[in-house]
Coordinates of all heavy atoms in Angstrom, one line a residue:
M230 N 53.1 11.0 -35.9 CA 53.2 10.2 -37.2 C 52.1 10.5 -38.1 O 52.2 10.7 -39.4 CB 53.4 8.7 -36.8 CG 53.4 7.8 -38.0 SD 54.9 8.0 -38.9 CE 54.9 6.9 -40.2
L231 N 50.8 10.6 -37.6 CA 49.6 10.8 -38.5 C 49.7 12.2 -39.1 O 49.4 12.3 -40.2 CB 48.4 10.6 -37.6 CG 47.0 10.8 -38.3 CD1 47.0 9.9 -39.5 CD2 45.9 10.7 -37.4
H232 N 50.1 13.2 -38.3 CA 50.2 14.5 -38.8 C 51.2 14.5 -39.9 O 51.0 15.3 -40.9 CB 50.5 15.6 -37.8 CG 49.4 15.8 -36.7 ND1 48.2 16.1 -37.0 CD2 49.4 15.4 -35.4 CE1 47.4 16.2 -35.9 NE2 48.1 15.7 -34.9
E233 N 52.3 13.9 -39.9 CA 53.3 13.9 -40.9 C 52.7 13.2 -42.1 O 52.9 13.7 -43.2 CB 54.5 13.0 -40.3 CG 55.8 13.1 -41.3 CD 56.9 12.4 -40.5 OE1 57.2 12.6 -39.5 OE2 57.5 11.5 -41.3
L234 N 52.0 12.1 -42.0 CA 51.3 11.5 -43.1 C 50.4 12.4 -43.8 O 50.2 12.5 -44.9 CB 50.6 10.2 -42.6 CG 49.9 9.3 -43.7 CD1 50.8 8.9 -44.7 CD2 48.9 8.3 -43.1
E235 N 49.6 13.2 -42.9 CA 48.6 14.1 -43.5 C 49.2 15.2 -44.4 O 48.9 15.5 -45.5 CB 47.8 14.9 -42.4 CG 46.8 14.0 -41.7 CD 46.1 14.7 -40.6 OE1 46.6 15.9 -40.3 OE2 45.4 14.1 -39.9
R236 N 50.5 15.6 -44.0 CA 51.2 16.7 -44.6 C 51.8 16.2 -46.0 O 51.8 16.8 -47.0 CB 52.4 17.3 -43.9 CG 51.9 18.4 -42.9 CD 52.9 19.1 -42.1 NE 53.0 18.4 -40.9 CZ 54.0 17.9 -40.4 NH1 55.3 17.9 -40.9 NH2 54.0 17.3 -39.2
T237 N 52.3 14.9 -45.9 CA 53.0 14.4 -47.1 C 52.0 13.9 -48.2 O 52.1 14.0 -49.3 CB 53.9 13.3 -46.8 OG1 53.2 12.1 -46.0 CG2 55.0 13.7 -45.9
M238 N 50.8 13.4 -47.7 CA 49.8 12.9 -48.7 C 48.6 13.8 -49.0 O 47.8 13.6 -49.8 CB 49.3 11.6 -48.1 CG 50.5 10.5 -48.2 SD 49.8 8.9 -47.6 CE 48.7 8.5 -49.0
G239 N 48.5 14.9 -48.2 CA 47.4 15.8 -48.4 C 46.1 15.2 -47.8 O 44.9 15.5 -48.4
V240 N 46.1 14.3 -46.9 CA 45.0 13.5 -46.4 C 44.2 14.4 -45.5 O 44.6 15.1 -44.6 CB 45.4 12.3 -45.7 CG1 44.2 11.6 -45.1 CG2 46.2 11.3 -46.5
V241 N 42.9 14.4 -45.7 CA 42.0 15.1 -44.8 C 41.2 14.1 -44.0 O 40.6 13.2 -44.6 CB 41.0 15.9 -45.5 CG1 40.0 16.7 -44.6 CG2 41.7 16.9 -46.4
I242 N 41.4 14.2 -42.6 CA 40.7 13.1 -41.8 C 39.8 13.8 -40.8 O 40.0 14.9 -40.4 CB 41.8 12.4 -41.0 CG1 42.7 11.6 -42.0 CG2 41.2 11.4 -40.1 CD1 43.9 10.9 -41.3
D243 N 38.7 13.2 -40.6 CA 37.6 13.7 -39.7 C 37.0 15.1 -40.0 O 36.9 15.8 -39.2 CB 38.2 13.7 -38.3 CG 38.1 12.4 -37.5 OD1 37.1 11.6 -37.9 OD2 38.9 12.1 -36.6
H244 N 36.7 15.2 -41.2 CA 36.0 16.5 -41.7 C 34.6 16.1 -42.1 O 34.3 16.0 -43.1 CB 36.7 17.3 -42.8 CG 37.9 18.0 -42.2 ND1 39.1 17.5 -42.2 CD2 38.0 19.3 -41.7 CE1 40.0 18.4 -41.7 NE2 39.4 19.5 -41.4
Q245 N 33.9 15.8 -41.1 CA 32.6 15.3 -41.4 C 31.4 16.5 -41.1 O 31.7 17.1 -40.0 CB 32.2 14.1 -40.6 CG 33.1 12.9 -40.9 CD 32.7 11.7 -40.2 OE1 31.9 11.7 -39.1 NE2 33.4 10.5 -40.5
V246 N 30.5 16.5 -41.7 CA 29.3 17.4 -41.6 C 28.1 16.7 -41.7 O 27.9 15.9 -42.6 CB 29.5 18.6 -42.7 CG1 28.3 19.6 -42.4 CG2 30.8 19.3 -42.6
I247 N 27.2 17.0 -40.8 CA 25.8 16.4 -40.9 C 24.9 17.4 -41.7 O 24.8 18.5 -41.4 CB 25.2 16.1 -39.5 CG1 26.2 15.0 -38.8 CG2 23.8 15.6 -39.6 CD1 25.9 14.8 -37.4
K248 N 24.2 16.8 -42.6 CA 23.3 17.4 -43.5 C 22.0 16.8 -43.5 O 22.0 15.6 -43.4 CB 23.9 17.6 -45.0 CG 25.1 18.3 -45.1 CD 25.0 19.9 -45.1 CE 26.2 20.6 -45.3 NZ 26.0 22.0 -45.6
S249 N 21.0 17.5 -43.7 CA 19.6 16.8 -43.9 C 19.1 16.9 -45.3 O 19.4 17.9 -46.1 CB 18.6 17.6 -43.0 OG 18.9 17.4 -41.6
I250 N 18.6 15.9 -45.8 CA 18.0 15.8 -47.2 C 16.8 16.5 -47.1 O 15.8 16.0 -46.3 CB 18.0 14.4 -47.7 CG1 19.4 13.9 -47.7 CG2 17.5 14.4 -49.0 CD1 19.4 12.3 -48.1
G251 N 16.5 17.4 -47.9 CA 15.2 18.1 -47.8 C 14.1 17.4 -48.6 O 14.3 16.3 -49.0
S252 N 12.9 17.9 -48.4 CA 11.7 17.1 -48.9 C 11.8 17.0 -50.4 O 11.1 16.1 -51.0 CB 10.4 18.0 -48.5 OG 10.5 19.2 -49.0
S253 N 12.5 17.8 -51.1 CA 12.7 17.8 -52.6 C 14.0 16.8 -52.9 O 14.1 16.6 -54.0 CB 12.9 19.1 -53.2 OG 14.2 19.6 -52.7
G254 N 14.6 16.2 -51.9 CA 15.6 15.3 -52.2 C 17.0 16.0 -52.4 O 17.9 15.3 -52.9
Q255 N 17.1 17.2 -52.0 CA 18.4 18.0 -52.2 C 19.1 18.2 -50.9 O 18.6 18.2 -49.9 CB 18.1 19.4 -52.8 CG 17.3 19.3 -54.2 CD 17.1 20.7 -54.8 OE1 17.1 21.7 -54.1 NE2 17.0 20.6 -56.1
I256 N 20.5 18.2 -51.2 CA 21.4 18.5 -50.0 C 22.2 19.8 -50.5 O 22.7 19.8 -51.6 CB 22.3 17.3 -49.8 CG1 21.6 16.0 -49.6 CG2 23.4 17.7 -48.7 CD1 22.6 14.8 -49.4
S257 N 22.4 20.6 -49.6 CA 23.1 21.9 -50.0 C 24.6 21.6 -49.4 O 24.9 21.2 -48.3 CB 22.6 23.0 -49.0 OG 23.5 24.2 -49.3
L258 N 25.5 21.9 -50.3 CA 26.9 21.7 -50.1 C 27.6 22.9 -49.6 O 28.8 23.0 -49.4 CB 27.6 21.0 -51.3 CG 27.2 19.6 -51.6 CD1 27.8 19.1 -52.9 CD2 27.2 18.6 -50.5
G259 N 26.9 24.1 -49.7 CA 27.4 25.4 -49.3 C 27.5 26.2 -50.7 O 27.8 25.8 -51.7
K260 N 27.4 27.6 -50.5 CA 27.5 28.6 -51.5 C 28.8 28.7 -52.1 O 28.9 28.9 -53.4 CB 27.1 30.0 -51.0 CG 25.6 30.1 -50.7 CD 25.2 31.4 -50.3 CE 23.7 31.5 -50.0 NZ 23.3 32.9 -49.8
E261 N 29.8 28.2 -51.4 CA 31.2 28.2 -52.0 C 31.3 27.2 -53.2 O 32.2 27.3 -54.0 CB 32.3 27.9 -50.9 CG 32.3 26.6 -50.4 CD 31.4 26.4 -49.1 OE1 30.5 27.2 -48.9 OE2 31.7 25.6 -48.3
H262 N 30.4 26.2 -53.2 CA 30.4 25.3 -54.3 C 29.4 25.5 -55.4 O 29.3 24.7 -56.3 CB 30.2 23.9 -53.6 CG 31.2 23.5 -52.6 ND1 32.6 23.4 -52.9 CD2 31.1 23.4 -51.3 CE1 33.2 23.1 -51.8 NE2 32.3 23.0 -50.8
A263 N 28.7 26.7 -55.3 CA 27.6 26.8 -56.2 C 28.1 26.9 -57.6 O 29.2 27.6 -57.9 CB 26.9 28.2 -55.9
G264 N 27.4 26.3 -58.6 CA 27.8 26.4 -59.9 C 28.8 25.3 -60.4 O 29.0 25.0 -61.5
R265 N 29.4 24.6 -59.4 CA 30.4 23.6 -59.7 C 29.6 22.2 -60.2 O 28.5 22.0 -59.7 CB 31.2 23.1 -58.4 CG 32.2 24.2 -58.0 CD 33.3 24.5 -58.9 NE 34.0 23.4 -59.5 CZ 35.1 22.7 -58.9 NH1 35.7 23.3 -57.7 NH2 35.6 21.8 -59.5
Q266 N 30.3 21.6 -60.9 CA 29.7 20.2 -61.3 C 30.4 19.2 -60.4 O 31.6 19.4 -60.1 CB 30.1 19.9 -62.9 CG 29.3 20.8 -63.7 CD 29.5 20.5 -65.2 OE1 30.7 20.2 -65.6 NE2 28.5 20.6 -66.0
V267 N 29.6 18.1 -60.2 CA 30.3 17.1 -59.2 C 30.0 15.8 -59.8 O 29.0 15.5 -60.6 CB 29.6 17.2 -57.8 CG1 30.1 18.4 -57.1 CG2 28.1 17.0 -57.8
L268 N 30.8 14.8 -59.4 CA 30.5 13.3 -59.8 C 30.0 12.8 -58.4 O 30.5 12.9 -57.4 CB 31.8 12.5 -60.1 CG 32.5 12.9 -61.4 CD1 33.8 12.3 -61.6 CD2 31.5 12.5 -62.6
I269 N 28.9 12.0 -58.5 CA 28.3 11.4 -57.4 C 28.4 9.8 -57.5 O 27.8 9.4 -58.5 CB 26.9 11.8 -57.1 CG1 26.8 13.4 -56.9 CG2 26.3 11.0 -55.9 CD1 25.4 13.9 -56.8
E270 N 29.1 9.2 -56.8 CA 29.2 7.6 -56.8 C 28.4 7.1 -55.8 O 28.3 7.7 -54.6 CB 30.8 7.4 -56.8 CG 31.5 7.9 -57.8 CD 33.1 7.7 -57.6 OE1 33.5 6.8 -56.8 OE2 33.9 8.5 -58.1
N271 N 27.9 5.9 -56.0 CA 27.2 5.2 -55.0 C 27.7 3.7 -54.9 O 27.1 2.9 -55.5 CB 25.7 5.2 -55.4 CG 24.8 4.6 -54.4 OD1 23.8 3.9 -54.8 ND2 25.0 4.8 -53.1
P272 N 28.8 3.5 -54.2 CA 29.6 2.3 -54.2 C 28.8 1.2 -53.5 O 28.9 0.1 -53.9 CB 30.8 2.6 -53.5 CG 30.6 3.9 -52.6 CD 29.7 4.7 -53.4
E273 N 27.9 1.6 -52.6 CA 26.9 0.7 -51.9 C 25.9 1.4 -51.4 O 25.8 2.6 -51.2 CB 27.7 -0.2 -50.8 CG 28.2 0.8 -49.6 CD 29.0 0.1 -48.6 OE1 30.2 -0.2 -48.8 OE2 28.4 -0.4 -47.7
P274 N 24.7 0.8 -51.1 CA 23.5 1.6 -50.5 C 23.9 2.4 -49.3 O 24.4 1.9 -48.4 CB 22.4 0.4 -50.2 CG 22.9 -0.7 -51.1 CD 24.4 -0.6 -51.2
G275 N 23.4 3.6 -49.3 CA 23.7 4.5 -48.3 C 25.1 5.1 -48.1 O 25.3 5.9 -47.3
V276 N 25.8 4.9 -49.1 CA 27.2 5.4 -49.3 C 27.2 6.2 -50.4 O 27.0 5.8 -51.6 CB 28.3 4.5 -49.3 CG1 29.6 5.1 -49.3 CG2 28.3 3.6 -47.9
W277 N 27.6 7.7 -50.4 CA 27.7 8.4 -51.6 C 29.2 9.1 -51.5 O 29.5 9.6 -50.3 CB 26.8 9.6 -51.6 CG 25.3 9.0 -51.6 CD1 24.9 8.1 -52.4 CD2 24.2 9.6 -51.0 NE1 23.6 7.9 -52.3 CE2 23.1 8.9 -51.4 CE3 24.0 10.5 -50.0 CZ2 21.8 9.0 -50.9 CZ3 22.7 10.8 -49.6 CH2 21.7 10.1 -49.9
V278 N 29.8 9.1 -52.6 CA 31.0 9.8 -52.6 C 30.9 11.0 -53.7 O 30.5 10.7 -54.9 CB 32.2 8.9 -53.1 CG1 33.5 9.7 -53.2 CG2 32.4 7.7 -52.2
I279 N 31.1 12.2 -53.2 CA 30.8 13.4 -54.0 C 32.2 14.0 -54.4 O 32.9 14.3 -53.4 CB 29.9 14.4 -53.4 CG1 28.6 13.6 -53.2 CG2 29.7 15.6 -54.2 CD1 27.6 14.5 -52.3
R280 N 32.5 14.1 -55.5 CA 33.7 14.8 -56.0 C 33.5 15.8 -56.9 O 32.8 15.7 -57.8 CB 34.8 13.8 -56.6 CG 35.2 12.5 -55.6 CD 36.0 11.7 -56.2 NE 35.5 11.0 -57.2 CZ 36.3 10.4 -58.2 NH1 37.5 10.4 -58.3 NH2 35.6 9.8 -59.2
T281 N 34.1 17.0 -56.8 CA 34.1 18.1 -57.9 C 34.7 17.5 -59.1 O 35.6 16.7 -59.1 CB 34.8 19.4 -57.4 OG1 36.1 19.0 -57.1 CG2 34.1 19.9 -56.2
A282 N 34.2 18.0 -60.3 CA 34.7 17.5 -61.6 C 34.6 18.6 -62.7 O 33.9 19.6 -62.5 CB 33.8 16.4 -62.0
T283 N 35.5 18.5 -63.7 CA 35.5 19.3 -64.7 C 35.0 18.5 -65.9 O 35.7 17.4 -66.2 CB 36.8 19.9 -65.0 OG1 37.1 20.8 -63.9 CG2 36.7 21.0 -66.2
V284 N 33.9 18.9 -66.5 CA 33.4 18.0 -67.6 C 33.9 18.7 -69.0 O 33.8 19.9 -69.3 CB 31.8 18.0 -67.6 CG1 31.3 17.4 -68.8 CG2 31.4 17.4 -66.3
I285 N 34.4 17.8 -69.8 CA 34.8 18.2 -71.2 C 33.9 17.8 -72.2 O 33.5 16.7 -72.4 CB 36.3 17.6 -71.5 CG1 37.4 17.9 -70.4 CG2 36.7 18.0 -72.9 CD1 38.5 17.2 -70.5
P286 N 33.3 18.8 -72.9 CA 32.4 18.5 -74.0 C 32.9 17.6 -75.0 O 34.2 17.6 -75.3 CB 32.1 19.8 -74.6 CG 32.4 20.9 -73.6 CD 33.5 20.3 -72.9
D287 N 32.1 16.7 -75.7 CA 32.7 15.7 -76.7 C 33.4 16.5 -77.7 O 34.4 15.8 -78.2 CB 31.5 14.9 -77.1 CG 30.9 14.0 -76.1 OD1 31.6 13.5 -75.2 OD2 29.8 13.4 -76.4
N288 N 32.9 17.5 -78.2 CA 33.6 18.3 -79.3 C 34.8 18.8 -79.0 O 35.4 19.5 -79.9 CB 32.6 19.2 -80.1 CG 32.2 20.4 -79.3 OD1 32.4 20.4 -78.0 ND2 31.7 21.5 -79.8
E289 N 35.2 18.9 -77.7 CA 36.5 19.6 -77.3 C 37.5 18.5 -76.7 O 38.5 18.8 -76.4 CB 36.2 20.6 -76.2 CG 35.4 21.7 -76.8 CD 35.2 22.8 -75.8 OE1 35.7 22.7 -74.5 OE2 34.4 23.8 -75.9
R290 N 37.1 17.3 -76.7 CA 37.8 16.1 -76.2 C 39.2 16.0 -76.9 O 40.2 15.6 -76.3 CB 37.1 14.8 -76.2 CG 37.7 13.9 -75.2 CD 36.9 12.6 -75.1 NE 35.4 12.8 -75.1 CZ 34.5 11.9 -75.2 NH1 34.8 10.7 -75.3 NH2 33.3 12.2 -75.1
W291 N 39.1 16.2 -78.2 CA 40.3 16.1 -79.1 C 41.5 16.8 -78.6 O 42.6 16.4 -78.7 CB 40.1 16.5 -80.5 CG 39.7 17.8 -80.7 CD1 38.6 18.4 -80.6 CD2 40.7 18.8 -81.0 NE1 38.6 19.8 -80.8 CE2 40.0 20.2 -81.0 CE3 42.0 19.0 -81.1 CZ2 40.6 21.2 -81.3 CZ3 42.6 20.1 -81.5 CH2 41.9 21.3 -81.5
I292 N 41.3 18.0 -78.0 CA 42.4 18.8 -77.5 C 43.1 18.2 -76.3 O 44.2 18.7 -75.9 CB 41.8 20.3 -77.3 CG1 43.0 21.2 -77.4 CG2 41.3 20.4 -76.0 CD1 42.5 22.7 -77.5
H293 N 42.5 17.2 -75.6 CA 43.1 16.7 -74.6 C 43.8 15.4 -74.8 O 44.2 14.6 -73.8 CB 42.0 16.4 -73.4 CG 41.4 17.7 -73.0 ND1 42.1 18.5 -72.0 CD2 40.3 18.4 -73.4 CE1 41.3 19.6 -71.8 NE2 40.2 19.6 -72.7
T294 N 44.0 15.0 -76.1 CA 44.8 13.9 -76.5 C 46.2 14.2 -76.3 O 46.7 15.2 -76.3 CB 44.4 13.3 -77.9 OG1 44.8 14.4 -78.7 CG2 42.9 13.1 -78.1
P295 N 47.0 13.1 -76.0 CA 48.4 13.2 -75.6 C 49.2 13.9 -76.8 O 49.9 14.8 -76.5 CB 48.9 11.7 -75.5 CG 47.8 11.1 -75.0 CD 46.6 11.5 -75.8
T296 N 48.9 13.6 -78.1 CA 49.5 14.2 -79.2 C 49.4 15.7 -79.3 O 50.2 16.5 -79.4 CB 49.2 13.6 -80.6 OG1 49.5 12.2 -80.4 CG2 49.9 14.1 -81.7
V297 N 48.0 16.1 -79.2 CA 47.6 17.5 -79.3 C 48.2 18.3 -78.1 O 48.7 19.5 -78.2 CB 46.2 17.8 -79.3 CG1 45.7 19.1 -79.2 CG2 45.6 17.0 -80.6
K298 N 48.1 17.7 -76.9 CA 48.7 18.3 -75.5 C 50.2 18.5 -75.8 O 50.7 19.6 -75.4 CB 48.5 17.5 -74.3 CG 47.1 17.5 -73.7 CD 47.1 16.7 -72.4 CE 45.8 17.1 -71.7 NZ 45.8 16.5 -70.4
K299 N 50.9 17.6 -76.3 CA 52.3 17.7 -76.7 C 52.7 18.8 -77.6 O 53.5 19.7 -77.3 CB 52.9 16.3 -77.1 CG 54.3 16.5 -77.5 CD 54.9 15.1 -77.9 CE 56.3 15.1 -78.3 NZ 56.6 14.0 -79.0
N300 N 51.9 18.9 -78.7 CA 52.1 20.0 -79.7 C 51.7 21.4 -79.1 O 52.5 22.3 -79.3 CB 51.2 19.7 -80.9 CG 51.7 18.5 -81.6 OD1 52.8 18.1 -81.5 ND2 50.8 18.0 -82.5
L301 N 50.6 21.5 -78.3 CA 50.3 22.6 -77.6 C 51.3 23.2 -76.6 O 51.7 24.3 -76.7 CB 48.9 22.6 -77.0 CG 47.7 22.6 -77.9 CD1 46.4 22.4 -77.1 CD2 47.5 23.9 -78.5
T302 N 51.8 22.2 -75.8 CA 52.8 22.6 -75.0 C 54.1 23.2 -75.6 O 54.8 24.1 -75.2 CB 53.3 21.3 -74.1 OG1 52.0 20.9 -73.4 CG2 54.3 21.7 -73.1
A303 N 54.5 22.4 -76.7 CA 55.7 22.8 -77.5 C 55.3 24.3 -78.1 O 56.3 25.2 -78.1 CB 56.0 21.9 -78.7
A304 N 54.2 24.4 -78.7 CA 53.9 25.8 -79.3 C 53.8 26.9 -78.2 O 54.3 27.9 -78.5 CB 52.4 25.6 -79.9
L305 N 53.2 26.7 -77.0 CA 53.3 27.6 -76.0 C 54.7 28.0 -75.5 O 55.0 29.2 -75.4 CB 52.5 27.1 -74.8 CG 51.0 27.2 -75.1 CD1 50.2 26.5 -74.0 CD2 50.3 28.6 -75.3
A306 N 55.6 26.9 -75.4 CA 57.0 27.1 -74.9 C 57.8 27.9 -76.0 O 58.4 28.9 -75.8 CB 57.8 25.9 -74.8
W307 N 57.4 27.7 -77.3 CA 58.1 28.4 -78.5 C 57.5 29.9 -78.3 O 58.3 30.9 -78.4 CB 57.6 27.9 -79.9 CG 58.2 28.7 -80.9 CD1 59.5 28.6 -81.6 CD2 57.5 29.7 -81.6 NE1 59.5 29.7 -82.5 CE2 58.4 30.3 -82.7 CE3 56.2 30.3 -81.6 CZ2 58.0 31.4 -83.4 CZ3 55.8 31.4 -82.3 CH2 56.7 31.9 -83.3
A308 N 56.3 30.1 -78.2 CA 55.6 31.4 -78.1 C 56.3 32.3 -77.0 O 56.5 33.5 -77.0 CB 54.2 31.5 -78.0
E309 N 56.4 31.6 -75.9 CA 57.0 32.3 -74.7 C 58.4 32.8 -74.8 O 58.8 33.9 -74.3 CB 57.1 31.4 -73.4 CG 55.6 31.3 -72.8 CD 55.7 30.3 -71.6 OE1 56.6 29.8 -71.2 OE2 54.4 30.1 -71.1
K310 N 59.3 32.0 -75.5 CA 60.7 32.4 -75.7 C 60.9 33.2 -77.1 O 62.0 33.7 -77.2 CB 61.5 31.2 -75.7 CG 61.4 30.2 -76.8 CD 62.4 29.1 -76.7 CE 62.2 28.1 -77.8 NZ 63.1 26.9 -77.8
T311 N 59.9 33.2 -77.9 CA 60.0 34.0 -79.3 C 59.3 35.2 -79.2 O 58.2 35.3 -79.2 CB 59.7 33.1 -80.3 OG1 60.1 31.7 -80.3 CG2 59.8 33.7 -81.8
P312 N 60.1 36.4 -79.3 CA 59.5 37.7 -79.3 C 58.5 37.9 -80.5 O 58.9 37.5 -81.5 CB 60.5 38.6 -79.2 CG 61.8 37.9 -79.6 CD 61.7 36.4 -79.4
A313 N 57.4 38.6 -80.4 CA 56.5 38.8 -81.4 C 57.2 40.0 -82.3 O 57.9 40.8 -81.8 CB 55.2 39.4 -80.8
K314 N 57.0 39.8 -83.5 CA 57.5 41.0 -84.5 C 56.4 41.2 -85.5 O 55.7 40.3 -85.9 CB 58.8 40.5 -85.1 CG 58.7 39.3 -85.8 CD 60.1 38.9 -86.4 CE 60.1 37.7 -87.2 NZ 61.4 37.2 -87.7
A315 N 56.5 42.4 -86.0 CA 55.4 42.8 -87.0 C 55.7 42.0 -88.3 O 56.9 41.7 -88.8 CB 55.5 44.3 -87.3
S316 N 54.7 41.7 -89.0 CA 54.8 41.1 -90.4 C 54.7 42.0 -91.5 O 54.0 43.0 -91.4 CB 53.6 40.0 -90.6 OG 53.6 39.0 -89.7
D317 N 55.6 41.8 -92.6 CA 55.5 42.6 -93.7 C 54.5 42.0 -94.7 O 55.0 41.0 -95.4 CB 56.8 42.9 -94.3 CG 56.9 43.7 -95.6 OD1 55.8 44.1 -96.0 OD2 57.9 44.1 -96.0
L318 N 53.2 42.4 -94.8 CA 52.3 41.6 -95.7 C 52.6 41.8 -97.2 O 52.1 40.8 -97.9 CB 50.9 42.3 -95.3 CG 50.4 42.1 -94.0 CD1 49.0 42.7 -93.8 CD2 50.3 40.6 -93.5
S319 N 53.4 42.6 -97.5 CA 53.8 42.8 -99.0 C 54.7 41.6 -99.4 O 54.9 41.3 -100.4 CB 54.5 44.1 -99.3 OG 55.7 44.2 -98.6
K320 N 55.4 40.9 -98.5 CA 56.3 39.9 -98.6 C 55.6 38.6 -98.6 O 56.2 37.4 -98.7 CB 57.4 39.9 -97.7 CG 58.3 41.1 -98.0 CD 59.6 40.9 -97.0 CE 60.5 42.3 -97.2 NZ 61.6 42.3 -96.3
L321 N 54.3 38.5 -98.2 CA 53.6 37.3 -98.1 C 53.3 36.8 -99.4 O 52.8 37.5 -100.3 CB 52.3 37.7 -97.4 CG 51.4 36.5 -96.7 CD1 52.3 35.6 -95.7 CD2 50.2 37.0 -96.2
K322 N 53.5 35.5 -99.5 CA 53.2 34.8 -100.9 C 51.9 34.3 -100.7 O 51.3 33.8 -99.9 CB 54.1 33.6 -101.0 CG 55.7 33.9 -101.2 CD 56.3 32.6 -101.4 CE 57.9 33.1 -101.7 NZ 58.6 31.9 -102.0
I323 N 51.1 34.6 -102.0 CA 49.7 34.3 -102.1 C 49.6 33.2 -103.2 O 50.2 33.3 -104.2 CB 48.8 35.4 -102.5 CG1 48.9 36.5 -101.4 CG2 47.3 34.9 -102.6 CD1 48.1 37.8 -101.6
S324 N 49.1 32.0 -102.9 CA 48.9 31.0 -103.9 C 48.0 31.3 -105.0 O 47.1 32.1 -104.8 CB 48.4 29.6 -103.1 OG 47.1 29.8 -102.7
K325 N 48.2 30.8 -106.1 CA 47.5 31.1 -107.3 C 46.0 30.8 -107.0 O 45.1 31.3 -107.6 CB 48.0 30.4 -108.5 CG 49.3 31.0 -108.9 CD 49.7 30.3 -110.2 CE 51.2 30.9 -110.6 NZ 51.6 30.4 -111.8
T326 N 45.7 29.7 -106.4 CA 44.2 29.4 -106.1 C 43.6 30.4 -105.3 O 42.3 30.5 -105.4 CB 44.2 27.9 -105.5 OG1 45.0 27.8 -104.2 CG2 44.7 26.8 -106.4
H327 N 44.4 31.0 -104.5 CA 43.7 32.1 -103.7 C 43.3 33.2 -104.4 O 42.3 33.9 -104.3 CB 44.6 32.5 -102.5 CG 44.0 32.2 -101.1 ND1 44.7 32.3 -100.0 CD2 42.9 32.0 -100.8 CE1 44.0 32.1 -99.0 NE2 42.9 31.8 -99.3
G328 N 44.2 33.7 -105.4 CA 43.9 34.8 -106.0 C 43.2 34.6 -107.4 O 42.8 35.7 -108.1
A329 N 43.0 33.5 -107.8 CA 42.3 33.1 -109.1 C 40.8 33.6 -109.0 O 40.2 33.3 -108.1 CB 42.4 31.7 -109.4
K330 N 40.3 34.1 -110.1 CA 38.9 34.5 -110.1 C 38.2 33.3 -110.7 O 38.6 32.6 -111.5 CB 38.8 35.6 -111.2 CG 39.4 37.0 -110.5 CD 39.1 38.1 -111.4 CE 39.7 39.3 -110.8 NZ 39.3 40.5 -111.7
R331 N 36.9 33.1 -110.2 CA 36.1 32.1 -110.6 C 35.3 32.4 -111.8 O 35.0 33.5 -112.0 CB 35.0 31.7 -109.5 CG 35.8 31.1 -108.3 CD 34.7 30.8 -107.3 NE 35.4 30.1 -106.1 CZ 34.7 29.6 -105.1 NH1 33.4 29.5 -105.2 NH2 35.3 29.1 -104.1
K332 N 35.0 31.5 -112.6 CA 34.2 31.6 -113.9 C 32.8 31.7 -113.4 O 32.3 31.0 -112.5 CB 34.4 30.4 -114.8 CG 35.8 30.5 -115.5 CD 35.9 29.3 -116.4 CE 37.3 29.2 -117.0 NZ 37.4 28.0 -117.9
A333 N 32.1 32.7 -114.1 CA 30.7 32.9 -113.8 C 29.8 31.9 -114.4 O 30.1 31.3 -115.3 CB 30.3 34.3 -114.0

């Protein structure tokens, strides 16, 4: 029954490793995790929960809003089913404000 639960929920049980905290206060999690960012939670004294994380910079957070995600998903779906074709630049309309010369 437990193995069945592990398969359906992806639960990992009894994967404990003993590590020593070095004199500088660091713990090595292994080279396979080098460069990763992690969240460290301290729910109570002596208990740490370490989870890998992907941090999104503030100036890129807008792209993860539901509206933008929906629009990007639709655009990518359109791009996948619509074959690319060459554009005829001579047929491209140019607005008057683009072509107007400025006064010196």
Side-chain angles (χ1 to χ4, degrees):
M230 178 68 178
L231 182 58
H232 294 295
E233 191 173 308
L234 178 65
E235 287 177 0
R236 275 185 265 125
T237 58
M238 296 184 65
V240 176
V241 177
I242 299 173
D243 274 337
H244 283 91
Q245 297 180 353
V246 178
I247 296 174
K248 298 279 184 170
S249 294
I250 301 173
S252 60
S253 64
Q255 295 181 343
I256 301 172
S257 173
L258 300 176
K260 288 186 179 188
E261 67 271 20
H262 303 293
R265 293 291 315 262
Q266 293 182 320
V267 296
L268 292 173
I269 302 173
E270 299 170 23
N271 185 216
E273 62 183 84
V276 176
W277 299 318
V278 178
I279 302 172
R280 299 183 292 154
T281 57
T283 301
V284 177
I285 301 169
D287 287 342
N288 67 342
E289 295 177 12
R290 195 175 322 165
W291 65 273
I292 204 164
H293 296 277
T294 61
T296 302
V297 174
K298 278 186 170 184
K299 180 181 172 186
N300 291 342
L301 281 175
T302 300
L305 289 171
W307 176 87
E309 285 180 2
K310 68 180 181 183
T311 307
K314 59 182 179 180
S316 296
D317 183 354
L318 297 179
S319 65
K320 293 182 180 178
L321 191 63
K322 292 183 180 182
I323 299 175
S324 68
K325 290 183 180 182
T326 55
H327 239 170
K330 292 184 179 179
R331 295 184 180 189
K332 294 181 181 178

